[in-house]
Amino acid sequence: MLLKTVRCNAPAQGRKQAVRAVVALGLMVLAAVTHAEGLFSPMLTLRMGDQVVTLERERLDAMVQSELQTSTTLQPQIGRWQGVLGRDLLAHLGIPEGVVRPMTMRSWDDYRIDMTTEDFYLWDVLIATRLNGELLGVEDLGPLRVIYPRDQHKALQDSRFDHRWVWLLRSIEVTP
Ligand SMILES: Nc1nc2c(c(=O)[nH]1)N[C@H]1C(S)=C(S)[C@@H](COP(=O)(O)O)O[C@H]1N2
Ligand SMILES: [Mo]
């Protein structure tokens, strides 16, 4: 909470949040005038070299579902997040469990973060489709949102990880 207060007092943080609010608002209007689900299709693309796996909501919902209760830097109240584990998605690409490779996550608003697959093996990182039992809409920064178990692990309460909480997740690309 203290961290959050300090970060939010910085003017740059305020500007960044304003820009994000405008982007989110634009997407909400777009989602309202078009068919929201169709706008985010394929919902998630996994890529490794030539291998491409596209997952629509049906296939994501058919996977093993996990649940995680945590606050976020945007929402101080604890939410009940549900979705699929990042490591289960890596398994879809045939990556042997625990193998660390460079990885990039991208969003529908063209945000990108370069990281490695390690986080998904070290922690139960969730690709959330639901919050408190409701599907994530674009107003919740969905339909897919990356949620780290930040309340469970102090190590994750760090700005290094904040950047990896991709909202409006579109794709995960792993370097072969
Ligand atoms: N789609 C998308 N996801 C994003 C961003 C963004 O601009 N677009 N910003 C990132 C950054 S820089 C941070 S710090 C985290 C958390 O932002 P918050 O601290 O405002 O919650 O969201 C990340 N996820
Ligand atoms: Mo950030």
Side-chain angles (χ1 to χ4, degrees):
M1 257 331 275
L2 186 65
L3 245 179
K4 167 73 182 164
T5 310
V6 170
R7 289 178 61 218
C8 280
N9 281 344
Q13 188 71 17
R15 257 199 313 277
K16 248 166 69 179
Q17 269 171 359
V19 168
R20 285 179 204 157
V22 169
V23 169
L25 195 68
L27 282 162
M28 280 164 73
V29 170
L30 202 61
V33 297
T34 56
H35 188 251
E37 285 277 306
L39 196 63
F40 304 104
S41 178
M43 195 162 275
L44 182 63
T45 302
L46 308 176
R47 208 175 278 121
M48 185 167 65
D50 294 340
Q51 196 189 342
V52 180
V53 177
T54 56
L55 301 169
E56 294 291 0
R57 182 183 295 290
E58 257 180 24
R59 281 192 64 194
L60 287 165
D61 282 352
M63 289 176 65
V64 173
Q65 303 292 299
S66 294
E67 186 177 306
L68 163 59
Q69 299 204 15
T70 187
S71 61
T72 78
T73 53
L74 289 176
Q75 291 140 308
Q77 73 278 18
I78 292 170
R80 187 168 58 86
W81 302 88
Q82 289 170 307
V84 299
L85 287 177
R87 78 173 70 93
D88 289 346
L89 292 173
L90 296 181
H92 261 274
L93 284 170
I95 304 171
E97 172 101 25
V99 171
V100 176
R101 293 193 180 146
M103 179 174 107
T104 299
M105 292 196 286
R106 288 190 176 79
S107 73
W108 289 96
D109 62 329
D110 282 334
Y111 178 78
R112 90 174 257 181
I113 181 77
D114 295 318
M115 50 187 287
T116 74
T117 52
E118 189 176 34
D119 284 13
F120 288 4
Y121 298 121
L122 290 179
W123 296 288
D124 291 340
V125 181
L126 197 68
I127 311 305
T129 53
R130 287 170 177 79
L131 169 60
N132 300 325
E134 304 279 342
L135 284 177
L136 289 176
V138 73
E139 67 278 13
D140 310 299
L141 304 172
L144 298 180
R145 184 165 163 185
V146 177
I147 302 290
Y148 275 73
R150 131 185 249 284
D151 286 1
Q152 287 75 12
H153 302 281
K154 212 151 175 82
L156 296 176
Q157 293 162 25
D158 184 295
S159 62
R160 212 156 30 100
F161 290 103
D162 289 347
H163 300 153
R164 301 176 191 173
W165 288 62
V166 179
W167 320 318
L168 301 132
L169 178 69
R170 180 178 192 173
S171 69
I172 298 175
E173 188 172 343
V174 177
T175 304

